[in-house]
Amino acid sequence: LEDVTEWEKVIKFPDLARWDWKGPAERFFKTEYRPGRVVQVVVGMCCTEQLVSVMGGYAEAMLAMATEPEAVRDFFDRVADHVISLVDLFCSLYPVNLMTIHDDWGTEKDTFFSPQMMEQLVFEPTKRILDHIKSKGVYCMIHTCGNITRFVPYMIEMGADFLQIQRRAVDIPALKEKYGDKIGFNVMIEDLQPQDTPEEIIGKVRRTVDLYGAGGGAFVSLTESDPQRLWLEVSELYAYSRQFYDEEREKAKKGVFARR
């Protein structure tokens, strides 16, 4: 798409009825579904990522946002309609607990676009998607790369339940301290390395709980492929976090809330 004002003539949104969605859902229930586990659906790219995709790059997309805001906003509204149709489809087939949308908004230095563009172009269509997800009784998480610190208040206002953001680009412990009573955080084990010894893994698991555990509102993603390391991470995370919250509850009873 070379000219964003031509998007309605060029861009074709998929007809979801063309595919067999029931077959994979049936296989999921037979082979993977466990009632005691959270079912998370990653919906995929949303407004700005779709614009970047069809325009052929970030520079082209940001230029379109700056020079043709009305056309971009119309495109974003159409993207929101499409994502909402996906939400309806997935919720009709799966017992979804959590949905994640992807929309990268920044480099590791700062956001791609200004707060004014967030307010005028991105906020309303994204909020409409999140509102629809929550109307289904489903929690919602926004994944976004880059240093998007300035956009966190907007994501809270949109109604996001969790953020999945980059630790190396964002001071997540500081955000947890500042906004932890308003939004949750999906985090990784702090500074985990392939060469870590079991003792180092245990120490990093405990540091992660200490950094993010106070007051709740955080959950840890484990992406370990080695089964022994995975078991060590899971078991230590479970045991230490249980201890952490037992101590926190005891302090709360005494009128002292733990902030670590």
Side-chain angles (χ1 to χ4, degrees):
L1 181 63
E2 295 181 358
D3 182 352
V4 73
T5 65
E6 299 289 309
W7 74 265
E8 289 182 280
K9 300 176 183 178
V10 178
I11 303 301
K12 294 179 175 59
F13 284 80
D15 176 9
L16 298 179
R18 291 178 54 195
W19 289 280
D20 171 29
W21 299 92
K22 292 185 178 179
E26 290 172 356
R27 289 193 294 274
F28 169 79
F29 280 104
K30 288 180 181 178
T31 62
E32 297 183 55
Y33 179 55
R34 302 291 185 272
R37 296 182 181 178
V38 170
V39 176
Q40 177 186 0
V41 171
V42 179
V43 180
M45 296 192 299
C46 285
C47 298
T48 59
E49 285 194 5
Q50 292 284 11
L51 182 66
V52 170
S53 179
V54 300
M55 295 298 297
Y58 284 94
E60 293 82 359
M62 297 306 109
L63 185 61
M65 290 174 67
T67 59
E68 298 290 349
E70 291 184 8
V72 169
R73 176 56 194 266
D74 289 342
F75 176 71
F76 285 172
D77 283 336
R78 180 64 185 89
V79 170
D81 291 339
H82 173 64
V83 174
I84 285 170
S85 68
L86 284 171
V87 170
D88 287 338
L89 177 65
F90 290 133
C91 288
S92 72
L93 295 169
Y94 301 93
V96 185
N97 305 111
L98 173 67
M99 281 190 164
T100 301
I101 64 170
H102 279 229
D103 223 7
D104 291 345
W105 290 337
T107 68
E108 294 194 11
K109 292 182 178 180
D110 206 343
T111 58
F112 290 127
F113 51 92
S114 68
Q116 291 84 354
M117 287 180 175
M118 167 61 78
E119 294 168 8
Q120 296 169 9
L121 301 177
V122 181
F123 183 89
E124 286 299 332
T126 307
K127 187 177 188 305
R128 186 155 62 89
I129 294 169
L130 268 60
D131 285 346
H132 194 73
I133 292 172
K134 299 186 78 166
S135 75
K136 302 288 185 178
V138 175
Y139 292 102
C140 52
M141 179 162 67
I142 297 179
H143 165 94
T144 183
C145 291
N147 184 359
I148 46 73
T149 302
R150 70 164 88 184
F151 286 163
V152 171
Y154 293 103
M155 289 185 271
I156 293 171
E157 191 175 349
M158 287 173 186
D161 295 297
F162 293 98
L163 298 182
Q164 188 180 72
I165 53 183
Q166 283 183 300
R167 176 70 165 101
R168 70 172 184 255
V170 183
D171 187 350
I172 301 178
L175 291 180
K176 176 69 164 57
E177 183 74 22
K178 186 173 182 179
Y179 299 111
D181 60 336
K182 299 179 178 66
I183 197 165
F185 294 83
N186 177 210
V187 298
M188 308 288 286
I189 295 176
E190 284 284 303
D191 194 34
L192 196 64
Q193 302 296 327
Q195 67 273 17
D196 285 342
T197 65
E199 292 75 18
E200 289 171 329
I201 292 172
I202 290 171
K204 290 178 179 181
V205 169
R206 293 182 178 186
R207 170 173 158 74
T208 302
V209 175
D210 288 341
L211 272 175
Y212 301 108
F219 69 98
V220 180
S221 288
L222 303 176
T223 58
E224 185 62 63
S225 59
D226 180 88
Q228 290 184 324
R229 281 174 58 105
L230 178 61
W231 172 249
L232 180 59
E233 293 166 19
V234 170
S235 58
E236 184 62 28
L237 181 63
Y238 177 79
Y240 188 71
S241 61
R242 282 291 299 267
Q243 175 185 333
F244 182 95
Y245 288 117
D246 285 345
E247 292 175 359
E248 189 173 87
R249 278 190 290 269
E250 287 301 314
K251 290 181 179 180
K253 290 178 183 177
K254 299 175 181 178
V256 179
F257 187 75
R259 300 297 292 183
R260 302 191 185 185

